[in-house]
Amino acid sequence: MLGGAALFKGLAPNRYGLPEIEVLAPGATGKRIAQGELFGNYFPAQGPDAGPGPHPAVLLLGGSEGGLGSGARQMALALQQEGFAVFQIAYFGAPGQTDALEGIRLELFDKGLDWLKTQPGVDATRIAVMGASKGAEAALLVAARRSDVAAVVAGMPTSVAWNGINWASGGQSDRSSWTAGGKEVPTMPFGDWDQADGIISVYRTIEDPARQTEADRAAIPIERGRAEVLLVCGEAETMWPACPMSRQVAARSKARAGPPVTVLSYRDAGHFVFGPPIARDHRFYPRLGEYGGSVEGNAAARAHSWPQVIAFLRRAMVDT
C-alpha cells in the first residue's frame, strides 16, 4: 500500500487535471448561506411549473473539486428552474473548512438536510440528495443513514467508501474521506498506480475478486435507506470504474431487499457524463471527453440522461 501510494504521488499529474477550488457566488436567483458549520448557496424553487409550493428540495453535493464549483452550480440552477429548491452545500475547500477531502463529518450533511427542510416554501416530506463523483459517494452514504430522504441521484458513483484526497501530499491521504459518530468510515484500499492506465488504476481493487472481503467492509450500505436511487455513469470512464461500481450498488440493494436502484450507463461517455446538457459553443464543451468517452458521446449522454433525472425526481418526490 505504501509503495503504491508513493508511486501514485510521484506519477499522478498535479490535481489530476481538476480545476482549482472555486467558491462561486450564487448569482441573482440564489443566496449565500453561512450559518455555523453550514456554508453554501441556496436556490429557492422557481420556473414556470413551480407554483406556490410547498416545493420538493435537493441537497446538492459537488465532487473532489471542492468549494462551490461551477459544475454543481449549473446543476443547481437547472434544478431550480424545474421547480426544486436546492441547497448547494460546501464540505471542504470553502471559508472555515479544511482544504483536504478527508475526515469530512457526515453529520454536516445531516445538518444541511435539516436546514433545508425548515426553509419557507419547502416540503419537508419531499427531500432528495444529489451528488457527482466524490459527492455521489457522500450522497449514497447520507441516503443510507437517513430514512427521510425520498430519492438520491448519483453521477459517476462508487459502491464503497475510499480514502480521502489531500493535495498537500500529492493527492494521497491515509485517512478516510468521511467520519460518522467520531469514527472513520471504513475504506477500500487503493491499488498500485499504473502509468499506462492512469488514475483509474488505483481504483481497480474494487474489481478484484481477491479483495472482496475488503470491498464488503467498505461497502456503502444502501439497503439501510428508503430512498429510490438513480445512478448515471459512463462505460468509458478513466477516473474510476463508475459503471462497474454502479452495478455493484444495484446488486447489493437487490440482494438485501433494499430500495430500487436504476442505472443509466452510456458506452461512449466518461467522468463528465452527468449534468444538464452543454451547448456546443459553451467554453467547457471541448473538455467533455477529458476523462473518458468522446466529446460528442458525453454531450449526448447528458442530453439523454438529464431529462430522465428530472423525471425520476418528479416521480419519486412530486407525483407521490
Side-chain angles (χ1 to χ4, degrees), residues 41-69:
N41 292 331
Y42 179 58
F43 302 88
Q46 293 187 359
D49 300 323
H55 304 287
V58 178
L59 182 71
L60 181 62
L61 315 178
S64 54
E65 72 277 3
L68 295 170

Side-chain angles (χ1 to χ4, degrees), residues 136-146 149 151-154 158-159 218-231 245-246 248-261:
E137 184 177 327
L140 291 170
L141 285 166
V142 170
R145 58 190 269 123
R146 296 279 302 220
V149 172
V152 57
V153 179
T158 173
S159 56
I220 296 171
I222 192 63
E223 70 279 359
R224 296 179 185 172
R226 297 182 180 177
E228 291 191 56
V229 180
L230 177 65
L231 309 177
M245 293 192 293
S246 295
Q248 289 173 353
V249 173
R252 179 186 178 97
S253 192
K254 183 177 181 180
R256 302 188 179 214
V261 177

Side-chain angles (χ1 to χ4, degrees), residues 4-319:
L7 193 63
F8 180 80
K9 178 179 177 181
L11 296 179
N14 184 39
R15 284 182 58 88
Y16 319 123
L18 290 170
E20 293 299 317
I21 292 175
E22 299 177 304
V23 182
L24 299 180
T29 63
K31 60 181 180 179
R32 173 60 48 81
I33 304 300
Q35 299 180 12
E37 286 187 87
L38 296 181
F39 188 93
N41 292 331
Y42 179 58
F43 302 88
Q46 293 187 359
D49 300 323
H55 304 287
V58 178
L59 182 71
L60 181 62
L61 315 178
S64 54
E65 72 277 3
L68 295 170
S70 57
R73 186 176 68 173
Q74 181 190 26
M75 282 190 270
L77 292 171
L79 289 166
Q80 180 186 41
Q81 289 304 309
E82 294 287 347
F84 299 94
V86 184
F87 184 23
Q88 179 192 1
I89 188 173
Y91 55 96
F92 81 104
Q97 297 178 341
T98 176
D99 287 335
L101 202 178
E102 55 183 12
I104 306 301
R105 298 171 57 252
L106 293 179
E107 289 84 358
L108 174 65
F109 304 119
D110 292 334
K111 290 186 177 181
L113 284 169
D114 293 341
W115 180 89
L116 183 56
K117 290 169 67 174
T118 65
Q119 296 313 295
V122 166
D123 185 343
T125 67
R126 295 186 291 168
I127 303 293
V129 183
M130 180 182 293
S133 192
K134 289 295 285 188
E137 184 177 327
L140 291 170
L141 285 166
V142 170
R145 58 190 269 123
R146 296 279 302 220
S147 62
D148 56 345
V149 172
V152 57
V153 179
M156 310 85 71
T158 173
S159 56
V160 297
W162 295 93
N163 272 30
I165 300 172
N166 189 332
W167 301 117
S169 57
Q172 278 288 299
S173 172
D174 60 2
R175 299 183 60 195
S176 175
S177 298
W178 323 103
T179 69
K183 297 180 179 179
E184 293 202 345
V185 173
T187 58
M188 183 70 187
F190 289 124
D192 289 339
W193 175 276
D194 183 297
Q195 184 68 358
D197 209 16
I199 180 64
I200 198 172
S201 60
V202 304
Y203 295 105
R204 291 294 191 193
T205 51
I206 193 61
E207 300 177 283
D208 184 353
R211 312 293 291 268
Q212 189 60 52
T213 299
E214 293 164 303
D216 289 342
R217 177 176 175 271
I220 296 171
I222 192 63
E223 70 279 359
R224 296 179 185 172
R226 297 182 180 177
E228 291 191 56
V229 180
L230 177 65
L231 309 177
V232 182
C233 65
E235 299 284 1
E237 167 104 41
T238 60
M239 179 67 78
W240 64 7
C243 280
M245 293 192 293
S246 295
R247 289 186 280 271
Q248 289 173 353
V249 173
R252 179 186 178 97
S253 192
K254 183 177 181 180
R256 302 188 179 214
V261 177
T262 300
V263 178
L264 298 179
S265 64
Y266 297 89
R267 181 174 296 181
D268 187 27
H271 206 65
F272 289 136
V273 66
F274 182 61
I278 294 182
R280 287 183 176 272
D281 59 355
H282 191 282
R283 61 181 177 80
F284 192 77
Y285 187 87
R287 295 186 56 194
L288 285 174
E290 286 186 1
Y291 292 106
S294 67
V295 169
E296 294 76 14
N298 280 281
R302 293 168 75 105
H304 181 267
S305 64
W306 188 252
Q308 295 195 62
V309 167
I310 299 302
F312 168 79
L313 289 172
R314 290 194 187 284
R315 180 180 59 77
M317 297 201 301
V318 180
D319 296 332

